[in-house]
Amino acid sequence: IPKKLVSSVSGCADDALAGLVSCNPGLRLLRGHRVILRNDLPALRGRVALLSGGGSGHEPAHAGYVGQGMLTGAVAGAVFTSPSVGSVLAAIRAVAHAGAAGILLIVKNYTGDRLNFGMALERARSEGTDVRMVVVGDDCAFAAPGKAGRRGICGTVLIHKVAGALAEAGAGLDEIVEKVTAASQAMGSLGLSLSPCSIPGSKPSFQLAEDEMELGLGIHGEAGVRRMKVLPADEAVEVMLEHMTDPSSASHLSLTPGCSVVLMVNNLGGLSCLELGIVAGAAVRCLESRGIRIARALVGSFMTALEMAGVSLTLMVVDEELLRLIDAKTTAMAWPNIPTGPATTRREEVPAPLDVPGKPLDEAGTGSEPESLSMAPFPSGMSPLPWECVFSAGPGAAWVEQVLERVCSTLLDIQDKLNQLDREAGDGDCGHTHARAAQAIRGWMHSRPPPAAPSQLLSSLADLLLEKMGGSSGVLYGLFLTAAARSLRGRSDPSAWADAVDSGIDAMRRWGGCSQPGHSCFFSQLDSLCAAAQALHSLRIPGADPLQVLEAAVQSAEAAAEATRHMEAAAGRASYIRSSRLEHPDPGAVAVAAVLGAVLG
């Protein structure tokens, strides 16, 4: 049975309503009933009152739409259970007693809701109350809906809004019934789910395979019309819109090029906001490609199915009058503060400011940028060290590409290893982050020859990683390379590299919040770099063998990376886990050691 954050299974519906009222001064509970009412009932005198409701578990529907300009009250049942006749009748009596000039019940087309609201209506009429009922059926799932008709789903919220704006403007009951009936007939909705939902205390209502999605299911987990393999968001949206507008279906919504619609992209409960935004963008693109104008777009959680990971699309064909009603003000807490303008993918982008030209590198420091790095000669018969040769003129530029390609290949090869290590103490994306860096460097090399001058090369790499790598790692590498590049300006002696590494480490410490190695700071690049830096200090010794120094630096970095398995995380995401002592090498330290090893070749 899935976990739920409730105080009790039996009281969850009552607790949710109590929480809603306690946080909203404009709402009141009707004593003895699961009924939410506006707190300004006396203002109803002479106006039409609007009541709706249904089972709990669809929050914010329906209680979230109680307020001026929308519903007068909402009646809730237990989770996925129609409210009782007694509670519906009590709500009708409460608003009638306040002097309402007629009452409209807005009901989703489900058998239980129709029966219970219908029975309450009959009893209220027998008491002399003027009550009408509009049943909303906006589901486009079934080609032949059958005797029960189309199910009422998220489009019901738009009917709340249209009816509420009319009532607030003083429209009579007959006019409201006529206009919301017409609006509901120009509306269609369809759901798509990646997962089931579960009533508190119960098992999931159905099962979906890991690679499946279900089209056309109801808001209680009722079966849809088709199961299919999981599709990319844009393809899934295209399938939904094709199904909703298929003329061969009796429940289709007719859309003609040039018509205007209100689009509602509804989270069924468990979809991330990131996914919802992707679906919304895809829906706008698909509709625009069909020549449809999206007069307004509402994106959010409007009518859910508990924790179901899914989405529904609702389209209402609108004219200027309907659009004014949609735009009318309301105090209902769940209605979004949407801008009064169309949705489109064709908005002009704001041009990015051009980079401010910096001081030329050859004007900084004590001299011009060296064309090559002068190092001690290599022993006879030994190949020149790649990281030395890359900074020489002419053929050295080819060495730059060879070394960078070796670094990129190494990072891509260890991507899965880094992700696995990161899952032990982080969010499992360290390999992905470093792979993005490798792919960005490769693309950069293919687009232009990398600069051979050391300071220019490191500065260019810093800019590239800051833009493309992402995460804390991208910033830290950018800090390191920027500071190292500054240290190399006008320098051509071997000790310049030791100074450059020290400068980069100082920048990481300053801005990364890490005063010393030995703390797992943002994947702990610092630990491997500090160990390597200690070895590179030997470059300041006259006559030092650069190859031996770099080999020692790589070995020190590898040893430091291995030592992080016994380290306690003091910063970064790893510091927030229950046990911040790592049991595996830190992926950031491993990545730095691997990069240094690739440079050595």
Side-chain angles (χ1 to χ4, degrees), residues 21-265:
V21 170
S22 66
C23 295
N24 292 275
L27 302 180
R28 296 289 186 273
L29 273 166
L30 184 62
R31 184 179 297 127
H33 298 278
R34 292 195 188 106
V35 175
I36 298 286
L37 295 169
R38 287 168 48 174
N39 72 336
D40 61 344
L41 288 184
L44 275 178
R45 184 165 297 280
R47 295 176 183 270
V48 172
L50 307 174
L51 297 175
S52 188
S56 297
H58 304 302
E59 290 74 16
H62 293 271
Y65 302 111
V66 174
Q68 293 178 18
M70 287 194 81
L71 298 178
T72 311
V75 190
V79 176
F80 289 178
T81 302
S82 297
S84 68
V85 173
S87 288
V88 176
L89 184 59
I92 293 172
R93 287 169 173 167
V95 296
H97 181 73
I103 300 166
L104 177 62
L105 307 181
I106 302 172
V107 180
K108 300 187 302 300
N109 188 28
Y110 285 99
T111 301
D113 289 351
R114 284 201 322 270
L115 288 173
N116 288 357
F117 277 85
M119 183 68 234
L121 176 148
E122 293 297 335
R123 291 186 59 180
R125 281 180 174 174
S126 70
E127 296 172 0
T129 306
D130 186 7
V131 189
R132 313 276 183 87
M133 186 163 77
V134 169
V135 178
V136 181
D138 56 312
D139 187 14
C140 294
F142 297 99
K147 291 183 179 180
R150 298 164 65 186
R151 296 176 296 201
I153 49 179
C154 192
T156 308
V157 176
L158 292 178
I159 298 302
H160 292 342
K161 185 65 182 65
V162 170
L166 287 166
E168 194 68 23
L173 185 56
D174 289 339
E175 181 184 355
I176 295 174
V177 170
E178 178 185 352
K179 289 184 175 178
V180 298
T181 300
S184 66
Q185 292 170 351
M187 180 176 66
S189 300
L190 187 68
L192 179 74
S193 179
L194 303 174
S195 78
C197 58
S198 58
I199 294 173
S202 301
K203 294 181 179 180
S205 54
F206 61 94
Q207 296 295 328
L208 277 174
E210 287 295 319
D211 62 345
E212 283 185 328
M213 54 184 9
E214 182 152 354
L215 181 71
L217 74 173
I219 55 173
H220 311 93
E222 308 98 317
V225 291
R226 182 170 32 143
R227 288 193 177 185
M228 53 193 179
K229 296 298 182 183
V230 173
L231 298 172
D234 52 351
E235 294 180 28
V237 168
E238 185 65 40
V239 168
M240 294 176 75
L241 292 175
E242 285 284 350
H243 190 93
M244 292 172 68
T245 59
D246 181 1
S248 67
S249 169
S251 59
H252 81 282
L253 175 66
S254 179
L255 295 180
T256 57
C259 72
S260 293
V261 299
V262 169
L263 165 67
M264 179 175 276
V265 183

